[in-house]
Amino acid sequence: MPEPGRERFTGDAPSAAVIGGGVAGLAAATALAERGVRVTLYERGESLGGRLAGWPVRLADGSGATMSRGFHAFFRQYYNLRGLLRRADPALAMLTPLPDYPLLHRNGMADGFARVPRTPPWSALGFVALSPSFGWRDLAAMNPREALPLLDVRVPEVYERFDGVGAEDFLRRIDFPEAARHLAFEVFSRSFFADPRDLSAAELLLMFHIYFLGSSEGLLFDVPREPFPQALWEPLGGYLRNLGADVRTGTPVHRVAPAAGGDLTVETEGAADRHRAVVLALDTGGLRQVVGASEQLGDASWRAGVDSLRTAPPFLVSRLWLDRPVHESRAGFLGTSGFDGLDNISVLDRWEGESARWAARTGGSVVELHAYAVDGGAEPEKVQRRMLDRLHEVYPETAEARVVDSCHEWRADCPVFSVGGYHRRPAVRTPHPRVTLAGDMVRTGLPVALMERAATSGFMAANALLAGWGVRGQVLWTVPRAGRSRVLRALAGRFAGH
């Protein structure tokens, strides 16, 4: 719950700058503007969405399309993100469910979650009963005392206990079955854009808690019916403007400086705007750049902490427009493991309207490939060709298809959640009482991750400022901060001797 206070400003309201128009910045701007704050949202890109932005491209056949940084799963545990999207679409009609979350290993082993019960402890028992990669014998062979933390993940204690342990080391310690490790663990861990060997065990346990034993929504998810700009960000940008927010795309911020009277000056190209408060809702590189140029902002320790932040290795998104359809049995999304770095395949025309209309008009299909944590020294064209070869291996019918057009996006701007790195990640509050941080790299003390961490931290950043002004902020929802199942919590406590 937010701190108590009045509902909104009724007289002269303060101004606040939100720097960054991604999920975190949009959440912060929304919470502030809804309570009467005069919000200016600065976004360096030409459109909103941050790492979920999209932009127009012209294909070789003359048709237009929207390119983006690739597929994102909107899990049903993303309560705060979904609450943000409901501002512009109360029924969430822009999202559509995919029927399963299928996984495939190169050795032929496959798994999925459509039939797994959603409520713990039945979710765990159902997974064991139905999964070909994790059976009853595997469960019996695990080290029960070492595996107890999986049954009752507590936040933030999980970071205190396990952030200094590697995720792979933890799984070996508990004798997690090798087949399930290669199939499920690699797919999930690489969704953090990191090599599984470098991922903190705390993030692995948190992920297990959020998506499996800590919630009753299961591992199924929704996807946008149209490209991100049309489905999500243009409507939300319109909502903000209707609240009176000044939304400035194509406006990078160079520097933030304290001003007289406790205000802050936000410097852009040829302009300097004065605000009572600032939310820095930037990606890792953008945050380092702005803070590095803002010599008077914060103290030396905080600034050094921001400067120490690093990004995950590069990743590739290849979108291919093919001259023929993939087989009708192919899933809209498939998580893959063991295929030389290919992490997933999306058949976009299964669920995205723009791609479906192109496929219907041409008789083709639109396929997207992701490769995470690519070796920084790899040659991009070789990686792109290898991913195409792996597509042909997974979906053999595509080997005969002609690529009508293709777009390849290489990025390296996602935060890295490496072993022992939690204490270096910044919190929402900063040394300056009117400057807050938001983003998926920010520590929240809540069981959230990925896009949901971005949205939650954005609301928290706004709440911290609103509390200082005596205004009540946004109510936040998360999965429980401890294990959801009383049975599993009791079992964990009994074996642990407490």
Side-chain angles (χ1 to χ4, degrees):
M1 297 298 295
E3 294 185 29
R6 62 191 190 276
E7 288 189 10
R8 58 177 287 118
F9 287 96
T10 53
D12 186 29
S15 67
V18 177
I19 304 173
V23 170
L26 289 166
T30 296
L32 292 169
E34 286 176 339
R35 287 151 183 85
V37 177
R38 293 181 289 115
V39 172
T40 302
L41 176 62
Y42 299 87
E43 165 54 42
R44 65 184 174 187
E46 296 300 325
S47 58
L48 298 174
R51 279 176 275 148
L52 272 76
W55 55 92
V57 295
R58 181 66 58 184
L59 302 181
D61 65 1
S63 61
T66 306
M67 185 56 187
S68 71
R69 297 157 50 99
F71 172 90
H72 279 73
F74 289 72
F75 285 94
R76 292 156 198 175
Q77 296 92 334
Y78 289 2
Y79 313 123
N80 298 315
L81 173 60
R82 295 164 82 93
L84 173 65
L85 298 178
R86 286 184 190 278
R87 264 61 169 205
D89 183 2
L92 292 182
M94 84 284 276
L95 298 180
T96 186
L98 292 187
D100 198 1
Y101 186 171
L103 309 175
L104 177 68
H105 195 277
R106 200 173 192 176
N107 62 15
M109 185 170 289
D111 219 329
F113 297 94
R115 297 187 299 149
V116 175
R118 298 180 186 178
T119 303
W122 310 115
S123 52
L125 297 174
F127 179 73
V128 173
L130 296 170
S131 173
S133 64
F134 192 124
W136 295 110
R137 290 183 179 179
D138 297 312
L139 182 64
M142 288 177 63
N143 184 328
R145 187 170 296 278
E146 295 290 343
L148 288 178
L150 288 169
L151 304 183
D152 188 16
V153 174
R154 296 175 181 269
V155 179
E157 292 86 347
V158 66
Y159 288 103
E160 298 167 7
R161 295 182 61 190
F162 295 102
D163 190 54
V165 180
E168 275 201 354
D169 290 340
F170 173 79
L171 292 178
R172 290 194 182 95
R173 182 190 300 177
I174 68 175
D175 295 322
F176 196 76
E178 186 175 357
R181 188 164 72 241
H182 290 316
L183 180 60
F185 165 60
E186 284 193 19
V187 171
F188 295 150
S189 65
R190 289 175 70 88
S191 69
F192 282 85
F193 302 93
D195 188 302
R197 295 168 295 184
D198 300 328
L199 182 68
S200 162
E203 292 292 343
L204 171 68
L205 269 72
L206 180 68
M207 184 166 52
F208 187 80
H209 174 71
I210 293 171
Y211 300 113
F212 203 55
L213 287 186
S215 68
S216 58
E217 283 84 3
L219 266 164
L220 302 184
F221 52 79
D222 305 318
V223 291
R225 294 179 181 272
E226 295 291 343
F228 297 136
Q230 298 91 309
L232 308 177
W233 313 132
E234 290 170 6
L236 193 55
Y239 174 80
L240 278 171
R241 291 184 178 94
N242 287 338
L243 289 173
D246 182 3
V247 180
R248 302 183 187 178
T249 56
T251 309
V253 168
H254 302 308
R255 185 170 176 266
V256 177
D263 287 355
L264 295 125
T265 300
V266 175
E267 297 181 8
T268 58
E269 192 67 38
D273 304 321
R274 194 157 170 161
H275 299 279
R276 288 296 287 168
V278 170
V279 178
L280 297 173
L282 298 151
D283 63 23
T284 302
L287 180 63
R288 291 181 62 206
Q289 183 177 2
V290 170
V291 170
S294 306
E295 303 89 351
Q296 297 175 291
L297 199 62
D299 57 30
S301 174
W302 178 78
R303 292 170 55 79
V306 169
D307 189 58
S308 73
L309 295 174
R310 293 295 179 264
T311 55
F315 68 93
L316 166 67
V317 175
S318 289
R319 187 172 297 187
L320 311 172
W321 287 262
L322 306 180
D323 69 347
R324 64 196 68 189
V326 299
H327 194 274
E328 62 183 10
S329 65
R330 305 307 186 192
F333 175 86
L334 174 69
T336 55
S337 181
F339 290 95
D340 296 335
L342 176 65
D343 286 294
N344 56 64
I345 303 172
S346 299
V347 184
L348 296 184
D349 51 271
R350 294 282 190 270
W351 43 269
E352 186 195 80
E354 181 182 273
S355 296
R357 291 187 290 274
W358 185 89
R361 186 174 68 252
T362 64
S365 59
V366 185
V367 177
E368 187 175 275
L369 314 176
H370 285 201
Y372 304 136
V374 178
D375 182 350
E379 295 184 27
E381 290 188 2
K382 286 186 177 179
V383 177
Q384 292 162 195
R385 287 196 298 270
R386 186 169 74 245
M387 294 306 100
L388 182 59
D389 291 340
R390 297 292 78 76
L391 169 66
H392 297 162
E393 180 181 346
V394 180
Y395 292 166
E397 70 274 17
T398 62
E400 303 300 321
R402 180 174 64 88
V403 177
V404 175
D405 209 338
S406 62
C407 287
H408 304 282
E409 281 295 315
W410 283 92
R411 303 288 176 127
D413 53 6
C414 295
V416 62
F417 304 109
S418 55
V419 178
Y422 180 73
H423 72 281
R424 294 192 298 271
R425 286 155 53 187
V428 169
R429 293 185 180 272
T430 77
H432 194 296
R434 295 203 189 110
V435 177
T436 56
L437 298 187
D440 57 350
M441 87 293 280
V442 172
R443 287 183 284 132
T444 64
L446 297 174
V448 289
L450 302 173
M451 288 191 291
E452 180 68 352
R453 184 181 287 152
T456 302
S457 67
F459 284 130
M460 291 177 72
N463 284 1
L465 297 177
L466 292 167
W469 293 321
V471 176
R472 188 170 63 250
Q474 169 77 34
V475 175
L476 299 176
W477 295 85
T478 73
V479 301
R481 297 172 84 164
R484 179 183 175 91
S485 168
R486 292 182 180 179
V487 174
L488 296 181
R489 288 203 309 269
L491 183 64
R494 179 179 178 183
F495 276 91
H498 58 79

Coordinates of all heavy atoms in Angstrom, one line a residue, residues 30 34 81-94 230-240 242:
T30 N 2.4 8.0 -15.6 CA 1.0 7.8 -15.4 C 0.6 8.0 -14.0 O -0.4 8.7 -13.7 CB 0.6 6.3 -15.8 OG1 0.9 6.2 -17.2 CG2 -0.8 6.0 -15.5
E34 N -1.9 11.2 -13.1 CA -3.2 10.9 -12.6 C -3.5 11.7 -11.3 O -4.7 11.9 -11.0 CB -3.4 9.4 -12.4 CG -3.5 8.6 -13.7 CD -3.6 7.1 -13.5 OE1 -3.1 6.7 -12.4 OE2 -4.1 6.4 -14.3
L81 N 2.1 -4.2 -14.6 CA 2.2 -3.9 -16.0 C 0.8 -3.9 -16.6 O 0.4 -3.0 -17.4 CB 3.1 -4.8 -16.7 CG 3.2 -4.7 -18.2 CD1 3.7 -3.3 -18.6 CD2 4.1 -5.8 -18.8
R82 N 0.1 -5.0 -16.3 CA -1.3 -5.1 -16.9 C -2.2 -4.0 -16.4 O -3.0 -3.5 -17.1 CB -1.8 -6.5 -16.6 CG -1.0 -7.6 -17.3 CD -1.3 -9.0 -16.8 NE -2.5 -9.5 -17.3 CZ -2.5 -10.3 -18.4 NH1 -1.4 -10.6 -19.1 NH2 -3.7 -10.8 -18.9
G83 N -2.0 -3.6 -15.1 CA -2.8 -2.4 -14.6 C -2.4 -1.2 -15.4 O -3.3 -0.3 -15.6
L84 N -1.2 -1.0 -15.7 CA -0.8 0.2 -16.5 C -1.5 0.2 -17.9 O -2.0 1.2 -18.3 CB 0.7 0.2 -16.7 CG 1.3 1.3 -17.6 CD1 1.1 2.7 -17.1 CD2 2.8 1.0 -17.8
L85 N -1.4 -1.0 -18.5 CA -2.0 -1.1 -19.9 C -3.5 -0.9 -19.8 O -4.1 -0.4 -20.8 CB -1.7 -2.5 -20.5 CG -0.2 -2.7 -20.7 CD1 0.0 -4.1 -21.3 CD2 0.4 -1.7 -21.6
R86 N -4.2 -1.3 -18.7 CA -5.6 -1.1 -18.6 C -6.0 0.4 -18.6 O -7.2 0.7 -18.9 CB -6.1 -1.7 -17.3 CG -6.2 -3.3 -17.3 CD -6.8 -3.8 -16.1 NE -6.6 -5.3 -16.0 CZ -7.3 -6.2 -16.6 NH1 -8.4 -5.8 -17.3 NH2 -7.1 -7.5 -16.4
R87 N -5.1 1.3 -18.4 CA -5.5 2.7 -18.4 C -6.0 3.0 -19.8 O -7.0 3.8 -19.9 CB -4.3 3.6 -18.1 CG -4.1 4.0 -16.7 CD -4.0 3.0 -15.7 NE -3.6 3.7 -14.4 CZ -2.9 3.1 -13.4 NH1 -2.6 1.8 -13.5 NH2 -2.6 3.7 -12.3
A88 N -5.4 2.5 -20.8 CA -5.8 2.8 -22.2 C -6.7 1.7 -22.8 O -7.4 2.0 -23.8 CB -4.6 2.9 -23.1
D89 N -6.8 0.6 -22.2 CA -7.6 -0.6 -22.7 C -8.1 -1.4 -21.5 O -7.5 -2.4 -21.1 CB -6.7 -1.4 -23.6 CG -7.5 -2.6 -24.2 OD1 -8.7 -2.7 -24.0 OD2 -6.9 -3.4 -25.0
P90 N -9.2 -0.9 -20.9 CA -9.6 -1.6 -19.6 C -9.8 -3.1 -19.7 O -9.6 -3.8 -18.7 CB -10.9 -0.8 -19.3 CG -10.8 0.5 -20.0 CD -10.0 0.2 -21.2
A91 N -10.2 -3.6 -20.9 CA -10.5 -5.0 -21.0 C -9.2 -5.8 -21.5 O -9.3 -7.0 -21.7 CB -11.6 -5.2 -22.0
L92 N -8.1 -5.1 -21.7 CA -6.9 -5.7 -22.2 C -7.2 -6.5 -23.5 O -6.7 -7.5 -23.8 CB -6.3 -6.6 -21.2 CG -5.6 -6.0 -20.0 CD1 -5.0 -7.0 -19.1 CD2 -4.6 -4.9 -20.4
A93 N -8.1 -5.8 -24.3 CA -8.4 -6.5 -25.6 C -7.3 -6.5 -26.6 O -7.3 -7.3 -27.5 CB -9.6 -5.7 -26.2
M94 N -6.2 -5.7 -26.3 CA -5.1 -5.7 -27.2 C -4.2 -7.0 -27.0 O -3.3 -7.2 -27.8 CB -4.2 -4.5 -27.1 CG -3.2 -4.5 -25.9 SD -3.9 -4.4 -24.3 CE -3.9 -2.6 -24.2
Q230 N 1.2 0.2 -32.0 CA -0.3 0.3 -32.3 C -1.1 -0.2 -31.1 O -2.1 0.3 -30.7 CB -0.7 -0.3 -33.6 CG 0.0 0.3 -34.8 CD 1.3 -0.4 -35.2 OE1 2.2 -0.5 -34.3 NE2 1.4 -0.8 -36.4
A231 N -0.6 -1.4 -30.6 CA -1.4 -2.1 -29.5 C -1.3 -1.4 -28.2 O -2.2 -1.4 -27.4 CB -1.0 -3.5 -29.5
L232 N -0.1 -0.9 -27.8 CA 0.2 -0.6 -26.5 C 0.6 0.9 -26.3 O -0.1 1.6 -25.5 CB 1.4 -1.4 -25.9 CG 1.3 -2.9 -26.1 CD1 2.6 -3.6 -25.6 CD2 0.1 -3.4 -25.4
W233 N 1.6 1.4 -27.0 CA 2.2 2.7 -26.6 C 1.5 3.9 -27.1 O 1.4 4.9 -26.5 CB 3.7 2.7 -26.9 CG 4.4 1.4 -26.5 CD1 5.2 0.6 -27.2 CD2 4.3 0.8 -25.2 NE1 5.6 -0.4 -26.5 CE2 5.1 -0.4 -25.3 CE3 3.6 1.1 -24.0 CZ2 5.2 -1.3 -24.2 CZ3 3.7 0.2 -22.9 CH2 4.5 -0.9 -23.0
E234 N 1.0 3.8 -28.4 CA 0.2 4.9 -28.9 C -1.0 5.2 -28.1 O -1.3 6.4 -27.7 CB -0.1 4.7 -30.4 CG 1.2 4.8 -31.2 CD 0.9 4.4 -32.7 OE1 -0.3 4.1 -33.0 OE2 1.9 4.3 -33.5
P235 N -1.8 4.2 -27.7 CA -3.0 4.4 -26.8 C -2.6 5.0 -25.5 O -3.2 5.9 -24.9 CB -3.6 3.1 -26.7 CG -3.2 2.3 -27.9 CD -1.8 2.8 -28.2
L236 N -1.5 4.4 -24.9 CA -1.1 4.9 -23.6 C -0.5 6.3 -23.6 O -0.7 7.1 -22.7 CB 0.0 3.9 -23.0 CG 0.3 4.1 -21.5 CD1 -1.0 4.0 -20.6 CD2 1.3 3.1 -21.0
G237 N 0.2 6.6 -24.7 CA 0.7 8.0 -24.9 C -0.5 9.0 -25.0 O -0.5 10.1 -24.5
G238 N -1.6 8.6 -25.7 CA -2.8 9.4 -25.8 C -3.4 9.6 -24.5 O -3.9 10.7 -24.2
Y239 N -3.4 8.5 -23.7 CA -4.0 8.6 -22.3 C -3.2 9.7 -21.5 O -3.8 10.5 -20.8 CB -3.9 7.3 -21.6 CG -4.4 7.3 -20.2 CD1 -5.7 7.3 -19.8 CD2 -3.4 7.2 -19.2 CE1 -6.1 7.2 -18.5 CE2 -3.8 7.2 -17.8 CZ -5.1 7.2 -17.5 OH -5.5 7.2 -16.2
L240 N -1.9 9.6 -21.6 CA -1.1 10.6 -20.8 C -1.3 12.0 -21.3 O -1.4 13.0 -20.5 CB 0.4 10.2 -21.0 CG 1.0 9.2 -20.1 CD1 2.4 8.8 -20.5 CD2 0.9 9.6 -18.6
N242 N -4.0 13.2 -22.6 CA -5.3 13.6 -22.1 C -5.3 14.0 -20.7 O -6.1 14.8 -20.2 CB -6.3 12.5 -22.3 CG -6.7 12.3 -23.8 OD1 -6.6 13.2 -24.6 ND2 -7.2 11.1 -24.1

